[in-house]
């Protein structure tokens, strides 16, 4: 094999020339054998070589890899990638893996902000390219948690000083041969002395003694060789030095001997050279560029190179020459170099001194202009790290106020992520030391909730005159700032909206564990088991092509269960297979699936249960679980024995569907309930009213005796009249039973929830007839407080001691009730900005965990002696209680969500007038409609524009060119389009002019305005309306209507599309002359229209239906040069081909291309310059204006990030964290240097603008 071919396969593999290293044949043969095994294995494999530092692990691995690749032709044609890890942080590992991704060919402009994302990204890339047999070498891994982020490497070999036992990654473990044999040591010394035979080494007892005292460590022997010892006196002197006790090094004995040898080697150097070498302890154990070392030593790079070559010859470091020369120091040598020379000096003081010398050298090299330092990867990556180590806040502030240095770093790293991490570290340091900092943190949105940082950033943005934009949030008008702050404090669980189920263990049996899902339904879907307190992942299961519907975990957190469906995942669609939804159970200690057994010998064939629940307690070392059959009519109880799940002959069979099964808090009973009638739908409508029985049956079973302890009927539906609850006799105003909880403390009772009504039912002397007897009902049934329960939902949790009941609320409120003797005693409202979805009390200290289904887990500690409880009197039903409620929560209720619903935002419109952001909102309060100006300025000011109307208003529009407001309303079945004048002049009297009104046909029951647009060339208003039609043939129908109004002469024109569609119509693209819309009419279709002008009539040009499978549509728009007279070309085709062929077929660069999935979501867009595939989670928030000249915007609803793309290259310029609201639309200013973002109906909005930075992302 030629040298160049070999080096192509051995990417970055450190050289191990025979002139400097010995070959440890036995050790290397073991490694070579295992490498060949994983090369031949279909599934690859992972090797771990572990042993003490300095024992030659890396050298042996590199030698072995060279042999199997070059001589034995293994791992071809892909070769290997060598990656140095070391003792690094998560941020540094992310930096390394992003570099690896770039080297692999993954788009380097993608901004990946987490280790899990980069791991998944590389994994997908390797699978797509079928390169999973590529060998990855991870050298010197310290942190066991980092292993989970390199699982993309299905074929790998790792070196570490630690034996990571029980980590579940399936390593083939090879313990390193830590000592050289005597002959190997002599051979190494001779190699380093260039085989000088003037002094006999073999058979010399002194030499043998020194080798033994060095424990045969290759690093120590190599350093000894550099001392050039040529007499017995010199070797005896080494022994005496090693034996002489010195308190200088406060380390273990083995390392102390090694450090003494390092010290002897340094003493062989000249005083000046020794001083320079000691300074190298300031660097991190990674590649150190020649330029950084020259800056530290304050010498010319050529002189630094000569010195490094001398140190390399003495085995004190490794120097690699080439286009980008660098040095690497062994971490043990770095540890030695960081030992203070002055014993009166502390380790920390000496490290500060070293870092100040380095920063001083950098400053002199660049003459105080940090951007002016010669190109240097180490400098760009670690400058802030070393600045922080100086503990000099003036240096930190000076660097991070240098915009040009930021630009150099951005260009060097090709990502903003590393700059974000640097600034975040600097913020933490300065805040910890209570130092106000003045650098531009808000430019990268690290501290958007700290106003003084943003103010300082804006000042510096104005002071620096630069040429390019970097985006920041300038103004925010948001209802839920508290919700944002609370969400940031929560624990993040899962990554996508589909990761919506979790389960927790019982902390009585160890650390609280959570089983959750990440990327549900995606190729990188996995089930993770993590420690709640630390978020450390203790185990994970990767599951491709499945959708997980539920999870469960045993009380000790060692067994998990999940219910899943399989599917086929195409580029645009999830195609679900018609298979059973199976439960699978895994023992995470041995990573094995467990089998359900009908008997000790017979495996259960049918595992398609609907529910599975673990008993919360371990009974006599037995783990118990119960299952509910798919038809929800049979319960079975199982016991886990070893690695089997045995049926224990306990079951319950019911003729009706069981609504719920629950374990009691002590795990001794099972509660179940069902409706005694068949029903359909979520409203529990009886199938047959003629034989309907208004009853639900509740039963409580004892686990040990397997006897029914309680069987009692309750009404299935109730009526609430004047604080009295009665069984319903008809469908009018009925409330169905939705939730039941069992309490078996001193007073046995049930918590019944009838939608938002319900309460505590005491079971003592219970009889169904009490529901018909008010006196009996008052004695046994204690309703939820009437002034609270109207807002409650059926999300109920009972505390472990059964003294607290939690209930969620419709309006993002959480309530906890204290109960005693079957009655409500007091309550608290928990501060909250989220709607509960999955509430659970952990089984200690009454900690309440709430998972909101939006990837956030919140924790509340419910302790009565700490929180302010409100006392309930007279069962909470009298007027005094309501007064008490109002007084105690007056502050909280002043801004309740209900008050927001008094005013309904119907529509909004935004624009820039004289480059100032302006907005109008159309509102309804009671029966009055009004239009007012939004505050989008830096300084708060009262609204200066206001308009009211008694007629129904449905839409509003404001344009930068029109300088007036257009409103569309309906008045007595007449559509009225009105122009409101003098918006800019703000005259005292509002002028308005009716532009057009027309009567709606009798079969039109309402309208919806889809688009309003002003065409400046001929002063024409364009309106796209969707008319909703009453049609006897179909349940719902609509059609599209195009209107134009010439404002100069009020001439009108209209076009009605006679095609009806069933669902909805959305505009995909619109300009002054053309409209493209997607109509959801069952089969889905995309239509293009000509918007009329002058003598050109409005008309529909094309119509393209989706294919029958509704997998999506590929479309291409070619705009004519002369848009006034020529029609656009609109081409489309169903998606019958895979992704690669689709891009190849449709990617010719002669038009504007976009691809719709089956839901009408744009998945790929492009123009005559480039193409961009859009991730499923990202929505383009400006569909009607897809092809802006400079930028386009996407919003990730999962991660709550704004993605800003450059139009010319389709490259992502920036990811802007935006947790405030979901953006559905934007409006740019003319220069595209600022845009307004808003949510649905425009209630919440913000202004995002560019700050000038010097040539970022050219």
């Amino acid at each position: 094999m030629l040298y160049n071919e070999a080096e192509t396969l051995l990417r970055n593999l450190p050289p191990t020339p025979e002139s400097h290293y010995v070959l440890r044949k036995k050790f290397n043969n073991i490694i070579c054998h295992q490498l060949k095994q994983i090369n031949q294995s279909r599934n690859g494999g992972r090797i771990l070589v572990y042993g003490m530092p300095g024992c030659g692990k890396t050298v042996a691995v590199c030698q072995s890899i060279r042999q199997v690749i070059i001589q034995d032709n293994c791992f071809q044609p892909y070769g290997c990638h060598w990656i140095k890890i070391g003792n690094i942080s998560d941020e540094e590992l992310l930096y390394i893996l992003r570099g690896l991704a770039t080297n692999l060919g993954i788009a380097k402009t993608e901004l990946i902000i987490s280790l899990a994302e980069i791991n998944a990204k590389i994994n997908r890339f390797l699978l797509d390219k079928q390169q999973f047999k590529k060998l990855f070498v991870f050298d010197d891994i310290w942190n066991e948690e980092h292993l989970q982020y390199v699982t993309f490497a299905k074929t790998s070999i790792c070196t570490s000083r630690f034996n990571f036992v029980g980590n579940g990654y399936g390593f083939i473990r090879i313990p390193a041969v830590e000592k050289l044999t005597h002959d190997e040591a002599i051979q190494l010394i001779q190699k380093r002395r260039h085989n000088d035979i003037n002094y006999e080494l073999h058979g010399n007892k002194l030499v043998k003694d020194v080798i033994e005292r060095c424990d045969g460590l290759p690093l120590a022997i190599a350093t000894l060789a550099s001392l050039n010892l040529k007499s017995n006196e010199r070797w005896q002197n080494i022994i005496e030095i090693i034996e002489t006790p010195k308190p200088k090094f406060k380390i273990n004995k083995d390392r102390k001997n090694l450090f003494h040898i390092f010290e002897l080697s340094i003493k062989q150097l000249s005083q000046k050279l020794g001083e320079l070498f000691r300074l190298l302890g300031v660097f991190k154990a990674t590649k150190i560029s020649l330029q950084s070392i020259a800056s530290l030593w304050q010498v010319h790079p050529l002189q630094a190179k000569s010195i490094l070559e001398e140190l390399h010859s003495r085995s004190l470091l490794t120097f690699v020459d080439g286009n980008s020369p660098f040095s690497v120091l062994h971490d043990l040598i770095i540890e030695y170099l960081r030992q203070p020379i002055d014993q009166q000096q502390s380790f920390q003081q000496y490290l500060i001194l070293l870092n100040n010398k380095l920063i001083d050298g950098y400053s002199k090299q660049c003459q105080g202009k940090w951007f002016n330092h010669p190109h240097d990867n180490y400098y760009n990556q670690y400058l802030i790290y070393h600045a922080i180590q100086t503990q000099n806040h003036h240096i930190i502030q000076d660097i991070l106020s240098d915009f040009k240095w930021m630009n150099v770093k951005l260009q060097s790293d090709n990502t903003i992520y590393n700059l974000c991490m640097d600034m975040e570290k600097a913020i933490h340091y300065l805040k910890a030391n209570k130092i106000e900092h003045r650098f531009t943190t808000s430019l990268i949105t690290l501290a958007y909730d700290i106003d003084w940082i943003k103010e300082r950033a804006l000042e510096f943005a104005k002071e620096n005159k630069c040429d390019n934009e970097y985006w920041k949030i300038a103004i925010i008008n948001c209802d839920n700032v508290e919700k944002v702050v609370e969400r940031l404090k929560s624990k993040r669980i899962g990554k996508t909206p589909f990761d919506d189920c979790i389960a927790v263990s019982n902390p009585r049996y160890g650390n609280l564990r959570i089983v959750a899902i990440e990327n549900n339904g995606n190729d990188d879907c996995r089930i993770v088991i993590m420690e709640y307190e630390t978020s450390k992942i203790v185990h994970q299961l990767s599951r491709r092509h499945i959708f997980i519907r539920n999870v469960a975990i045993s009380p000790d957190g060692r067994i998990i269960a999940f219910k899943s469906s399989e599917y086929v995942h195409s580029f645009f669609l999830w195609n679900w297979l018609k298979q059973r939804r199976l439960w699978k159970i895994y023992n995470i200690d041995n990573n094995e699936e467990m089998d359900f057994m009908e008997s000790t010998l017979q495996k259960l064939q049918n595992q398609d249960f609907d529910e599975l629940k673990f008993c919360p307690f371990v009974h006599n070392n037995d783990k118990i679980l119960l299952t509910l059959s798919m038809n929800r009519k049979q319960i079975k109880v199982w016991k886990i024995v070893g690695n089997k799940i045995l049926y224990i002959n306990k079951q319950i069979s019911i003729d009706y569907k069981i609504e719920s099964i629950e374990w009691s808090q002590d795990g001794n009973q099972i509660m179940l309930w069902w409706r005694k009638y068949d029903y359909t739908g979520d409203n529990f409508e009886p199938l047959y009213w003629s034989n309907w029985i208004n009853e639900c049956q509740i039963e409580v079973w004892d686990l040990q005796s397997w006897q029914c302890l309680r069987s009692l009927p309750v009404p299935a539906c109730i009526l609430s009249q004047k604080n009295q609850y009665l069984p319903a006799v008809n469908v009018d105003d009925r409330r169905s039973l939705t939730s039941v909880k069992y309490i078996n403390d001193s007073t046995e009772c049930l918590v019944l929830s009838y939608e938002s009504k319900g309460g505590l039912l005491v079971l003592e002397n219970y009889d169904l007839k009490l529901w018909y007897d008010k006196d009996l009902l008052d004695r046994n049934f204690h309703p939820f407080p009437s002034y609270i329960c109207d807002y409650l939902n059926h999300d109920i949790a009972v505390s472990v001691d059964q003294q607290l009941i939690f209930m969620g609320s419709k309006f993002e409120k959480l309530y906890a009730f204290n109960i005693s003797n079957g009655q409500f005693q007091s309550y608290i409202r928990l501060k909250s900005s989220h709607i509960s979805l999955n509430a659970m009390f952990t089984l200690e200290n009454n900690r309440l965990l709430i998972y909101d289904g939006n990837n956030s887990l919140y924790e509340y500690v419910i302790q009565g002696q700490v929180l302010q409880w409100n006392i309930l009197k007279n069962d909470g039903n009298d007027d005094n209680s309501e007064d008490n409620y109002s007084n105690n929560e007056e502050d909280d209720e002043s801004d309740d969500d209900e008050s927001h619903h008094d005013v309904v935002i119907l529509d909004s419109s935004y624009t820039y007038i004289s480059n100032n952001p302006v907005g109008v909102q159309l509102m309804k309060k009671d029966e009055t409609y009004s239009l007012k100006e939004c505050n989008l300025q830096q300084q708060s000011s009262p609204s200066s524009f206001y308009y009211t109307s008694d007629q129904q208003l449905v839409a509003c529009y404001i344009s930068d060119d029109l300088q007036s407001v257009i409103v569309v309303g309906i008045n007595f079945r007449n559509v009225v389009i009105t122009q409101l004048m003098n918006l800019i002049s703000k005259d005292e009297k509002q002028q308005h002019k009716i532009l057009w009104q027309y009567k709606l046909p009798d079969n039109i029951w309402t309208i919806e305005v889809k688009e309003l647009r002003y065409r400046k060339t001929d002063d024409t208003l364009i309106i796209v309306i969707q008319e909703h039609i009453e049609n006897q043939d179909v349940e719902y129908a609509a059609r599209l209507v195009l209107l134009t109004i010439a404002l100069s002469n009020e001439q009108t024109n209209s076009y009605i599309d006679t095609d009806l569609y069933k669902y909805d119509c959305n505009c995909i693209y619109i300009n002054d002359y053309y409209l493209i819309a997607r109509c959801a009419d069952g089969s889905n279709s995309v239509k293009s229209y000509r918007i009329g002008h002058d003598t050109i009539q409005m008309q529909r040009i094309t119509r393209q239906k989706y294919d029958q499978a509704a997998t999506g549509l590929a479309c291409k728009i070619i705009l004519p040069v002369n848009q006034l007279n020529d029609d656009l070309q609109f081409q489309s085709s169903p998606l019958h081909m895979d992704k690669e062929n689709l891009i190849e077929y449709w990617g010719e660069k002669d038009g504007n291309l976009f691809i719709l999935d089956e839901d009408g979501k744009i998945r790929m867009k492009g123009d005559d310059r480039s193409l961009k595939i859009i991730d499923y989670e990202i929505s383009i928030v400006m569909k009607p204006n897809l092809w802006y000249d400079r930028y386009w915007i996407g919003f990730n609803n999962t991660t709550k990030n704004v993605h800003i793309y450059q139009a010319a290259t389709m490259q992502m310029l920036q990811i802007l964290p935006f947790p405030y609201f979901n953006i559905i639309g934007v409006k740019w200013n003319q220069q595209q240097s600022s845009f307004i973002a808003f949510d649905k109906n425009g209630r919440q909005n913000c202004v995002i603008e560019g700050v000038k930075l010097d040539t970022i992302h050219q």
Side-chain angles (χ1 to χ4, degrees), residues 878-893:
D878 63 0
D879 293 337
N880 293 330
S881 295
E882 187 169 356
D883 293 338
N884 180 44
Y885 168 79
S886 300
N887 293 332
N888 284 327
E889 300 199 4
E890 181 177 356
D891 294 336
D892 291 340
E893 297 304 312

Side-chain angles (χ1 to χ4, degrees), residues 40 159 217 353 513 561 702 749 808 889 941 1004 1033 1076 1134 1158:
Q40 294 172 2
T159 68
L217 279 177
L353 175 65
R513 288 183 172 182
D702 180 73
C749 58
E889 300 199 4
S941 60
I1004 304 298
D1033 298 330
I1076 299 178
E1158 73 283 3

